[in-house]
Amino acid sequence: MPSDGVGVPQDVLRALYEEAVDLLEQARGRRDERLLSRAVELLDRCADATGGSARTHAAALSALDVALKTRYAWTGELDDLRRAARAGRAALDVAGEGGPDRAAAMVNLADSLRVLAERTGDDAALDEAVRLGEAVDAQGPTEPVLRVVTLNNLGLCLRVRFEAAGDLADVRRAAVVGQRAVDAMPDHYPDAASVLSNLAGTHQTWFERTHERSALDRAVDLGRRAAKAAPDGSPSCAAILSNLGTALQIRCEVTGDSADLREAIEVGAAAVEATDARDPALAVRLTNLGTAHVTRFGISGDPGDLDAAIRALERAIENTGEDDPALAGRLANLCVAARLRFEEGGTASDLDLAVTAGRGAVRSRRSDRVTSAGHLSNLGAALRARFRLHRDPADAEESAAVFRQALDKSPADHPQRAVFLSNLGGVLYEYAGAGGPAAPADLATRAVSAFREAAELPTARTRVRVATAAAWGRVAAERGDFGTAVQGLELAVGQLGLRAPRELGREDQERELAEHTALASDAAACAIRLGDLRRAVTLLEQGRGVLLGQALDARADLTALRRRDAHLADRFDEVCRGLDGATPGLDRAGAVPERRKLADAFDSVLRAIRALRGFETFLAPPAFDELAPPPGAEPAILVNLSELGSDALVVAGGRPSRVPLPLATPQAVRAQVSVLLTTLEAIRDEDTADRGARRREEQRVLAVLGWLWDAVTGPVLRHLDVPVTADPGRRPRVWWIPTGLLSFLPLHAAQPMDADGRAEEGGALDRVVSSYSPTLRSLSFAGRPRQPGEDSLLVVSASGVPGHGALPATRREAERLGRLPVATTSMTQAAATRDRVLAALAHHSWAHFACHATTDTAYPSRSALVLGDHDDAPLRVSDIVAARLDGAKVAYLSACSTAQGAALLPDEGIHITSAFHLAGYRHVVGTLWPVDDHPAGRITRDFYQEVGAGGGLSAEAAAPALHGAVHRARRRMPDHPSVWAAHVHVGV
């Protein structure tokens, strides 16, 4: 500051100082730039004045430090920030050692130096800021407010220094010091929101470096507390909301919880809206919002999110100075968004923008920092995308070189290192596939090594570990190295359940798992090629039906545990029932934190159970011997569909055997499914009303059944040496467990065709009684002993629901069922509501539904039976799964497509029929596609005639009864397979 000035009496100087401080406080409270400039003007006069006390002079200089720093925060004028630091240093010089206000001046200067370091990359200023904060802290207790400010600022300085240099000790200390600041806050502390938000940011930074999930949850919790504590209209409110949005967005990236992302975008948009267009912080908040939109694109696939992201990021960059260190991160984010838009179907200009932005990020002033590793990786990904477009080897080689630079700059245990390795492996693999004389011969081998290193990095995010382990396995398999391949794929399968943790809502779980279709099948195919059939079976069981497995975990037999520790058994049951109940209530407020709390409780009680002697493997993935049907039981047939080779694994007599299925390639199955679904749609269409058209469509369905016989069912039944027999009582039982899109095809109805395309005798219906099961484990669950009890039948009929077509045969169907030799309860039309039906199911061992059904192929847990209150309260798969019906025996679903799952998630076996199976029904009858009302009614009548032939209802006759009813329907209408091949039996 100037050394010569105007002499001012002490009383005048003091009055000027007090007026300036009052104006400063008013200005900050109102965000009034005119008042702030007047305060700076008065404090400048105080700073230039001579005379008066040193204490007043020092206080004025320190206040000038604060005022100039505030004006910088509002205008972004760097000269104000530099002047603030000079004023702060002058304040210390005037105050002298031991001065009464020296501590406050040190804290103010430290904060200015921190902001200056963030703006300019001045490491020396940052180190000085830390030293000043540590010196004040070392002085011991001070005035309470100053104590909080000291600790809060010191925590921020330590966090910023960690972000610049990467020393973990700094961020550890930042968390400790920040918590001390929170603990030191007096009641009604006016800036509590900012202190909480700063500590939240430190925990978020700690998570990003260590991948400790508890730190991320702590960041979100503190961020929410900060948002709640911020007074309406507070200048800090926008910053707090933006910070909370970033923490929520990161947590969504980790867990896949879309509720977090919805909240992140809401608070991020609110933060941008609340920020003045001239505020330098606007760029930060636009960046945070743009990043959240990029994340949402990854979930929704909506290109509009990428457009919104690019608009926000470009606007943020426009508001960022060329010498601002934050420019690199903003350019890197724009690089990502532009590349994704190109890959989504954008133009070459998007790719040019991505490469340009990526290069700009790498060239930034802090390009030698740890954070630049991420910028390098983003540039590498853009170059990789350009290589895929133009096939220029130079792009592939530069991309790989850039990824290696990113690896060189990242610590060995950094979570993002796995991403860099994954990207390196990807470009090496693609370069190898492109071939050409410039491509080194060992590229594929190096790609496998990169994928493997990424997958085995314990700090990597689960999403990255699963993806890279799958890539490791599949690339190795392509090269014929099945031993290496099965190691990678087995690791991926073992991690798959972590992609759909119990804390997520059901739809989020389904979306996460849909990214890894065929993973278990590919793993099993590799094991089969190594001759390890038992391992293949266990891999299929572990990697398919993940959500089904979670539900079965919740229904584990607790008899032995209850004998050992009744309290622990009760607690486990309580938590599991809570998780069941949390699933249907996805839309109600508080569902997300409730699920998270219950998921944590599940993990805690599971650890406690496994700590008991003899229970170390409680709920561990079952071994083959636990899965296989016992010796003497009839066979279960896992039909594995894989690009690496398709096979049937016949599990019988306690051991598996293999039936190669060379015709059942994934491409061939996909083609048959397409033909079947297209044909069935045509049959339902009015254009097929004439007999000739209908006959041609039915012939196409017969052709699908003929292909199934040649490709799958025929080879399996020949392997089992099952002969044709006219006696239904001599046809053995088999259980089909199809994988992938095979679950859409009627394996049970396959039959041979002659050279002229006519159906021949000797198909599956003439040899075996077929049933289906999603997994071996669910089959075992359904076969558990049940307590005997009196049979009763619940008949639910809803044929006149608004918005759905009439079902004229349902009334007659319900009347016939009412004459069965069993106690019957009927619920019809508007009286058949979701809640009433769910309550009644618990009191009836048999259930019959005659109604419409809706199938959601994107989110199968939304599939529902259409009851009287469908518009307000649909009876969805998630509701049915949550029921625990210990006395349930048979459910007959006389409704459309109740056994049809989701094409994007076929291996989860999620549909209405499997939901009833999981709810406790040992036998469930459903349909793979819609069937005409009257033929379906005839099959229903024949089924009940057979199960009721002995004077009551025989649940054990369910599978043979359905088989007989379908067999008779085929005999009546052999050329109309659409009316008899759809019905399936699921269960024991």
Side-chain angles (χ1 to χ4, degrees):
M1 304 304 295
S3 58
D4 54 339
V6 179
V8 178
Q10 168 61 21
D11 58 340
V12 175
L13 183 64
R14 186 71 191 176
L16 281 174
Y17 165 71
E18 289 176 352
E19 181 184 358
V21 169
D22 182 59
L23 287 170
L24 176 59
E25 290 177 354
Q26 291 183 54
R28 294 177 75 184
R30 302 176 191 173
R31 194 185 172 88
D32 188 321
E33 290 186 23
R34 184 184 61 80
L35 288 177
L36 180 60
S37 293
R38 176 60 179 158
V40 169
E41 179 184 333
L42 292 177
L43 290 168
D44 271 332
R45 288 175 58 189
C46 293
D48 290 341
T50 60
S53 71
R55 182 173 184 181
T56 302
H57 195 195
L61 285 164
S62 189
L64 180 59
D65 176 1
V66 173
L68 289 165
K69 179 171 54 189
T70 301
R71 193 161 70 180
Y72 161 77
W74 293 358
T75 66
E77 181 57 53
L78 184 57
D79 186 58
D80 277 336
L81 187 55
R82 292 193 170 109
R83 285 185 60 205
R86 289 198 297 270
R89 287 198 174 95
L92 290 186
D93 292 341
V94 172
E97 294 293 335
D101 298 321
R102 183 175 178 81
M106 292 170 69
V107 171
N108 289 338
L109 173 58
D111 193 47
S112 294
L113 291 170
R114 170 186 63 80
V115 178
L116 183 64
E118 287 186 283
R119 177 65 177 81
T120 65
D122 187 339
D123 290 345
L126 191 53
D127 290 339
E128 183 181 356
V130 171
R131 287 196 298 273
L132 286 166
E134 289 173 334
V136 176
D137 185 31
Q139 293 175 12
T142 57
E143 186 269 329
V145 171
L146 180 59
R147 186 72 177 157
V148 175
V149 173
T150 300
L151 293 169
N152 183 48
N153 289 351
L154 176 57
L156 274 174
C157 290
L158 289 165
R159 188 221 300 173
V160 172
R161 191 165 72 176
F162 164 76
E163 290 169 347
D167 186 345
L168 276 172
D170 277 339
V171 74
R172 289 194 190 98
R173 287 184 59 210
V176 172
V177 171
Q179 185 60 53
R180 288 172 59 203
V182 170
D183 295 341
M185 287 192 299
D187 292 341
H188 310 298
Y189 182 66
D191 204 23
S194 294
V195 176
L196 290 165
S197 184
N198 289 338
L199 181 56
T202 297
H203 281 286
Q204 176 187 313
T205 300
W206 176 253
F207 166 79
E208 290 173 327
R209 175 60 181 82
T210 66
H211 201 51
E212 288 185 12
R213 173 61 191 281
S214 60
L216 184 56
D217 290 338
R218 178 79 171 138
V220 172
D221 292 343
L222 284 163
R224 286 192 172 127
R225 286 175 60 190
K228 187 175 181 180
D232 291 339
S234 166
S236 63
C237 191
I240 289 165
L241 288 174
S242 187
N243 293 342
L244 171 60
T246 299
L248 288 163
Q249 174 249 324
I250 291 171
R251 190 163 74 178
C252 173
E253 288 181 350
V254 172
T255 67
D257 195 330
S258 59
D260 278 341
L261 189 56
R262 285 194 297 272
E263 185 181 356
I265 290 179
E266 288 171 6
V267 299
V272 168
E273 183 68 24
T275 304
D276 189 274
R278 296 168 298 168
D279 191 332
L282 178 62
V284 177
R285 292 157 202 169
L286 285 166
T287 301
N288 291 346
L289 179 59
T291 304
H293 276 291
V294 171
T295 300
R296 189 164 72 177
F297 165 75
I299 289 176
S300 68
D302 183 355
D305 273 313
L306 291 179
D307 295 337
I310 289 173
R311 285 195 301 270
L313 292 167
E314 287 183 329
R315 191 175 160 204
I317 290 166
E318 288 171 4
N319 283 270
T320 305
E322 291 187 3
D323 61 343
D324 191 332
L327 179 62
R330 292 163 195 167
L331 286 167
N333 288 333
L334 178 60
C335 172
V336 172
R339 173 180 59 80
L340 290 173
R341 189 164 72 177
F342 165 75
E343 292 175 344
E344 185 61 18
T347 64
S349 62
D350 289 320
L351 192 52
D352 292 339
L353 175 61
V355 172
T356 301
R359 293 197 191 283
V362 170
R363 285 196 305 267
S364 71
R365 291 185 62 179
R366 288 194 176 187
S367 61
D368 59 333
R369 303 284 181 138
V370 173
T371 52
S372 72
H375 306 339
L376 285 161
S377 182
N378 292 336
L379 172 60
L383 291 165
R384 178 183 171 191
R386 195 164 71 179
F387 168 69
R388 288 197 295 266
L389 177 65
H390 299 302
R391 292 299 182 187
D392 183 346
D395 281 332
E397 289 165 2
E398 184 183 1
S399 174
V402 166
F403 288 136
R404 291 190 188 96
Q405 290 178 53
L407 289 166
D408 289 342
K409 290 180 179 292
S410 61
D413 63 343
H414 198 289
Q416 285 296 100
R417 187 176 178 83
V419 176
F420 308 155
L421 285 163
S422 175
N423 288 335
L424 175 60
V427 74
L428 291 174
Y429 171 69
E430 289 165 0
Y431 193 12
D442 64 342
L443 284 175
T445 301
R446 287 153 54 192
V448 171
S449 297
F451 289 137
R452 181 169 192 157
E453 185 179 347
E456 292 179 337
L457 187 67
T459 57
R461 292 182 180 179
T462 301
R463 162 190 313 273
V464 178
R465 294 194 74 189
V466 173
T468 52
W472 155 18
R474 284 170 171 152
V475 175
E478 283 182 18
R479 301 175 63 241
D481 185 356
F482 293 109
T484 298
V486 79
Q487 293 174 11
L489 291 165
E490 191 167 42
L491 176 60
V493 167
Q495 294 278 314
L496 192 56
L498 300 177
R499 285 297 311 271
R502 289 175 171 84
E503 70 183 76
L504 291 187
R506 189 61 178 256
E507 292 175 12
D508 287 333
Q509 289 181 311
E510 291 170 3
R511 187 195 64 251
E512 292 292 306
L513 291 173
E515 295 182 16
H516 298 289
T517 56
L519 183 59
S521 289
D522 288 347
C526 291
I528 290 169
R529 268 124 202 89
L530 294 172
D532 195 343
L533 304 187
R534 295 165 69 94
R535 188 181 192 182
V537 171
T538 57
L539 285 168
L540 283 173
E541 286 291 304
Q542 189 177 0
R544 297 176 60 259
V546 172
L547 301 182
L548 177 67
Q550 290 182 1
L552 292 176
D553 286 346
R555 292 154 175 78
D557 187 349
L558 303 179
T559 305
L561 178 61
R562 188 160 274 113
R563 285 197 297 266
R564 179 66 179 275
D565 190 325
H567 172 73
L568 205 52
D570 290 342
R571 176 60 179 153
F572 179 83
D573 187 58
E574 176 189 8
V575 171
C576 289
R577 289 181 184 275
L579 284 166
D580 278 346
T583 301
L586 299 181
D587 297 328
R588 61 187 177 83
V592 174
E594 180 182 341
R595 283 198 311 269
R596 192 164 288 130
K597 182 179 178 181
L598 286 166
D600 289 343
F602 180 91
D603 292 339
S604 177
V605 73
L606 181 59
R607 284 193 298 271
I609 293 170
R610 288 179 174 174
L612 298 175
R613 180 173 296 179
F615 289 84
E616 294 85 356
T617 60
F618 183 77
L619 297 191
F624 175 82
D625 291 335
E626 299 172 86
L627 293 167
E634 290 162 312
I637 304 152
L638 293 89
V639 187
N640 190 50
L641 186 68
S642 171
E643 298 283 357
L644 304 175
S646 298
D647 303 90
L649 294 170
V650 180
V651 183
R655 64 183 185 85
S657 57
R658 174 194 178 194
V659 182
L661 303 175
L663 297 180
T665 65
Q667 295 84 353
V669 170
R670 192 177 301 114
Q672 294 299 320
V673 170
S674 178
V675 168
L676 178 64
L677 296 181
T678 302
T679 303
L680 292 170
E681 183 66 30
I683 288 173
R684 291 195 298 274
D685 192 78
E686 292 180 356
D687 292 342
T688 61
D690 67 279
R691 293 184 178 181
R694 176 66 179 259
R695 192 162 45 246
R696 288 191 295 273
E697 301 299 344
E698 294 288 357
Q699 190 62 36
R700 292 190 181 97
V701 179
L702 285 171
V704 172
L705 300 185
W707 180 88
L708 271 177
W709 177 261
D710 293 337
V712 181
T713 310
V716 170
L717 296 184
R718 284 193 293 272
H719 173 81
L720 290 171
D721 196 23
V722 180
V724 175
T725 175
D727 182 358
R730 297 182 61 188
R731 293 175 190 144
R733 295 284 305 279
V734 296
W735 279 266
W736 299 100
I737 303 176
T739 68
L741 291 179
L742 273 172
S743 59
F744 281 72
L745 298 176
L747 296 172
H748 66 284
Q751 58 185 25
M753 305 288 286
D754 66 18
D756 296 323
R758 291 189 295 268
E760 295 181 331
E761 292 292 322
L765 287 171
D766 303 312
R767 298 171 185 263
V768 293
V769 175
S770 293
S771 296
Y772 291 84
S773 180
T775 62
L776 284 172
R777 187 182 174 197
S778 65
L779 182 61
S780 175
F781 169 78
R784 290 193 309 182
R786 310 290 179 91
Q787 292 293 328
E790 292 292 324
D791 283 330
S792 57
L793 171 64
L794 174 67
V795 179
V796 180
S797 176
S799 63
V801 178
H804 298 270
L807 297 171
T810 58
R811 183 174 58 81
R812 293 191 301 274
E813 190 172 293
E815 289 173 355
R816 283 197 301 271
L817 294 175
R819 295 192 290 271
L820 288 170
V822 66
T824 303
T825 301
S826 293
M827 290 186 176
T828 61
Q829 307 305 89
T833 64
R834 182 191 66 183
D835 291 344
R836 290 190 64 200
V837 167
L838 284 172
L841 288 174
H843 304 291
H844 296 80
S845 56
W846 288 61
H848 182 95
F849 287 82
C851 59
H852 283 288
T854 62
T855 301
D856 192 314
T857 56
Y859 293 103
S861 288
R862 292 181 184 171
S863 299
L865 292 172
V866 179
L867 303 183
D869 59 344
H870 179 74
D871 288 343
D872 299 321
L875 180 58
R876 289 177 171 162
V877 162
S878 53
D879 300 303
I880 299 162
V881 168
R884 294 189 175 206
L885 306 172
D886 295 333
K889 293 183 179 178
V890 178
Y892 194 109
L893 309 178
S894 186
C896 298
S897 306
T898 55
Q900 185 182 95
L904 296 178
L905 203 64
D907 283 328
E908 284 302 301
I910 302 171
H911 44 70
I912 299 170
T913 300
S914 66
F916 275 90
H917 181 52
L918 184 57
Y921 288 92
R922 293 164 61 85
H923 308 270
V924 188
V925 176
T927 54
L928 290 171
W929 59 78
V931 179
D932 290 344
D933 200 18
H934 291 286
R938 181 67 182 272
I939 291 175
T940 301
R941 185 179 66 186
D942 288 351
F943 171 83
Y944 279 103
Q945 283 180 346
E946 193 152 340
V947 296
L953 293 182
S954 170
E956 301 313 311
L962 181 67
H963 172 83
V966 170
H967 204 283
R968 286 190 288 277
R970 187 188 67 170
R971 197 160 56 237
R972 289 191 298 270
M973 304 178 71
D975 297 328
H976 287 69
S978 70
V979 304
W980 51 260
H983 285 73
V984 296
H985 171 267
V986 174
V988 295

